[in-house]
Amino acid sequence: MAQGIGRSRGGRGSKVHVAVDHRGLPLRFAITGAQTHDSKVFGSFVGWQKQPTAIVADKAYGSKAIRQTIADEGALAVIPSKSNARIHIPHDPDIYAQRNLVERFFCRMKDMRRLTTRYEKLKRNFLSMVHIFAIRCWLN
C-alpha cells in the first residue's frame, strides 16, 4: 500500500483522486490503493488559498464530518445523500451537474495508456506521470 497499490475485488490496483476547477483543469491529486474508500483522502483536498464557493462531490463524500469540514472552509457542499441515508440532505441538481467536469477529466486521463495500465510501479513515478498529464491539460 505504500506504493499506492492495493487489493480490491477487481484485483490489484490504485485510485487517482483529483480536484478540478470550474474549467475541468486539475488542481490537486492523491493516489491510494484500490481498496481505500474515497472519504479517507478528503483531508488532502481542503485548505485552499482561494476559498471555493462550492465543493461538488459524489455520494462517497456525503458523511456529516466531511460536510462540516466543507462548511468550515466557507464553501457550499453539493453532495447528494446516499439512497439508504436516514436523513436526506437536499442538494442543488444544477450545481451537481458540474461534477461531469471531473468525470471528463478522468476520461481524458484514460486515453493516456501509460496511466490507465499504470506502468510505473513506484507511487512517486506514477504521480509524476499524472502531473505530466495535468501539465498537458493546462497547456491545451
Side-chain angles (χ1 to χ4, degrees), residues 15-22 24-32 41-52 55 61 69 73 102 105-106 109 127 130-131 133-135 137-138:
K15 286 185 187 177
V16 177
H17 308 268
V18 64
V20 299
D21 66 3
H22 64 283
L25 298 174
L27 300 173
R28 290 189 184 176
F29 296 100
I31 296 174
T32 62
V41 186
F42 185 74
S44 302
F45 297 101
V46 294
W48 299 93
Q49 288 180 345
K50 181 182 175 192
Q51 298 299 330
I55 294 180
Y61 297 96
T69 302
E73 291 274 318
V102 75
F105 171 81
F106 281 119
M109 192 175 97
L127 186 58
V130 173
H131 284 147
F133 172 71
I135 291 167
C137 290
W138 275 91

Side-chain angles (χ1 to χ4, degrees), residues 53-67:
T53 55
I55 294 180
V56 181
D58 64 5
K59 294 177 183 183
Y61 297 96
S63 72
K64 187 176 181 180
I66 289 177
R67 289 178 190 273

Side-chain angles (χ1 to χ4, degrees), residues 7-18:
R7 191 169 285 287
S8 68
R9 283 189 248 166
R12 293 170 48 98
S14 58
K15 286 185 187 177
V16 177
H17 308 268
V18 64

Side-chain angles (χ1 to χ4, degrees), residues 69-120:
T69 302
I70 293 171
D72 292 345
E73 291 274 318
L76 173 67
V78 183
I79 305 170
S81 298
K82 291 184 179 180
S83 59
N84 63 351
R86 291 184 187 153
I87 301 170
H88 286 278
I89 300 170
H91 68 282
D92 187 335
D94 295 326
I95 297 174
Y96 186 71
Q98 295 298 310
R99 199 172 101 57
N100 74 52
L101 293 170
V102 75
E103 296 301 333
R104 285 189 282 161
F105 171 81
F106 281 119
C107 286
R108 285 192 313 267
M109 192 175 97
K110 287 178 182 177
D111 289 341
M112 203 171 159
R113 186 170 158 218
R114 180 171 213 103
L115 293 176
T116 304
T117 55
R118 189 172 170 169
Y119 289 133
E120 286 76 21

